[in-house]
Amino acid sequence: MESTVVLMNFTHVYEQEIFANSFYHRWVDCTDLTGTNCFCDATSASTIMKRINSYSPEGIHFIDSGNYHYVSKFWIDKIKEPFSLIVFDHHSDMQTARFNDMISCGCWIKVILDTNPYLRKVYIIGAKEESVNAILSQYRNRVKFYNETELFQEDRRNQFILENTDHPLYISIDKDILNATSAITNWDQGSLSLENLEKLLILILTKTRVIGVDVCGEYSEPANVFSAKRASFINSNTNKRLLTLVLSLKNMIHI
């Protein structure tokens, strides 16, 4: 399977972002699919998995807006060894599924915990307190939360690294963890700066073995032309910086 930079286009948003032309990448067009916005039906899920079948989980994958964060599951299901998952997200994405035959952007982490035999632990960084408090008790021993600042504390940082020496990691980034000067998304956002996100990624990428990375959080529903152009400029710049960072450290991860 191929390890590379992959752009998954559901909403045409990457067609407006300059960063997409700055690096060699593979393009996975999903704009023809229905039943994918926030929730994904079984037919579209099967089609998406077929379209990424030739690609490896090793690499960096851009997967459109946070409405499509569930696509992370399709990449993660390609991993066939014990691993842990790190998610940068302002939401826990651990809601109970509304429909048994559908995965959604709000429940995909819970689904992976319930179904993936290789997943050992999930670390969610930056989720707001109310979504953390809503986690069902049976998941507490497999899911660990860090707020936006904890990993900048030496003792918490060292503990995190020590916990992640036995298994490789997969990193999933929703840009809604960032403040409004670093990203414009469809959802309410956190307050982490892009610079601090980069510092955390450098820490993880240089101290642990990372299989792959995905990024979502585009702004795919602009109210007007001005907001569309502003979101495109800010998100493109952030995506380019994240991509540049990961590629600059690619010798330390499996890309």
Side-chain angles (χ1 to χ4, degrees):
M1 288 191 294
E2 191 174 356
S3 169
T4 188
V5 179
V6 176
L7 268 64
M8 301 188 67
N9 193 21
F10 288 87
T11 65
H12 299 282
V13 67
Y14 293 124
E15 298 165 23
Q16 311 303 319
E17 294 189 12
I18 296 173
F19 98 99
N21 298 317
S22 301
F23 298 86
Y24 178 76
H25 62 272
R26 297 292 184 177
W27 189 264
V28 179
D29 184 16
C30 298
T31 57
D32 61 314
L33 300 180
T34 58
T36 61
N37 189 12
C38 290
F39 295 87
C40 188
D41 62 36
T43 299
S44 289
S46 177
T47 301
I48 294 168
M49 287 186 282
K50 287 177 182 176
R51 291 184 183 181
I52 65 172
N53 182 60
S54 63
Y55 300 111
S56 165
E58 300 172 349
I60 180 166
H61 323 112
F62 290 86
I63 55 178
D64 213 292
S65 82
N67 293 13
Y68 304 90
H69 204 171
Y70 63 80
V71 173
S72 296
K73 178 185 182 298
F74 304 148
W75 288 105
I76 289 167
D77 282 348
K78 292 171 171 284
I79 301 172
K80 302 303 179 184
E81 62 177 310
F83 73 99
S84 290
L85 170 65
I86 297 178
V87 184
F88 290 91
D89 202 316
H90 191 51
H91 310 87
S92 71
D93 291 357
M94 285 196 59
Q95 300 172 17
T96 300
R98 295 184 184 180
F99 309 101
N100 290 333
D101 60 341
M102 286 190 181
I103 189 171
S104 76
C105 60
C107 74
W108 69 274
I109 294 178
K110 181 179 179 297
V111 172
I112 293 176
L113 283 163
D114 289 339
T115 61
N116 192 304
Y118 297 102
L119 180 60
R120 295 298 180 259
K121 200 158 187 177
V122 177
Y123 300 87
I124 302 178
I125 301 172
K128 56 187 178 180
E129 186 174 357
E130 53 263 42
S131 65
V132 174
N133 292 337
I135 301 302
L136 298 175
S137 59
Q138 61 262 39
Y139 295 97
R140 293 285 177 175
N141 63 331
R142 297 184 64 199
V143 182
K144 191 165 187 176
F145 292 91
Y146 291 90
N147 63 35
E148 294 176 358
T149 62
E150 280 184 279
L151 289 182
F152 292 105
Q153 301 169 17
E154 185 176 2
D155 59 334
R156 300 289 279 161
R157 181 171 64 245
N158 292 339
Q159 178 187 0
F160 174 83
I161 296 302
L162 286 173
E163 288 179 359
N164 289 287
T165 55
D166 294 335
H167 306 297
L169 303 173
Y170 185 91
I171 301 174
S172 184
I173 303 167
D174 190 330
K175 292 197 296 291
D176 70 14
I177 192 178
L178 296 170
N179 59 36
T181 61
S182 300
I184 305 295
T185 78
N186 293 351
W187 299 85
D188 59 307
Q189 294 180 221
S191 59
L192 191 70
S193 68
L194 176 57
E195 291 75 16
N196 280 339
L197 174 59
E198 289 173 320
K199 290 177 183 177
L200 292 174
L201 289 173
I202 291 170
L203 168 69
I204 296 167
L205 290 166
T206 57
K207 299 295 185 181
T208 64
R209 178 189 162 206
V210 174
I211 296 172
V213 180
D214 66 48
V215 181
C216 69
E218 309 314 314
Y219 186 54
S220 60
E221 301 171 5
N224 53 58
V225 173
F226 174 77
S227 63
K229 288 184 175 180
R230 179 171 178 268
S232 176
F233 177 80
I234 291 174
N235 289 337
S236 181
N237 176 68
T238 295
N239 286 336
K240 183 175 182 179
R241 284 176 58 172
L242 294 174
L243 178 56
T244 301
L245 174 63
V246 170
L247 293 182
S248 71
L249 298 173
K250 65 181 180 179
N251 291 332
M252 300 180 183
I253 60 178
H254 285 193
I255 288 183

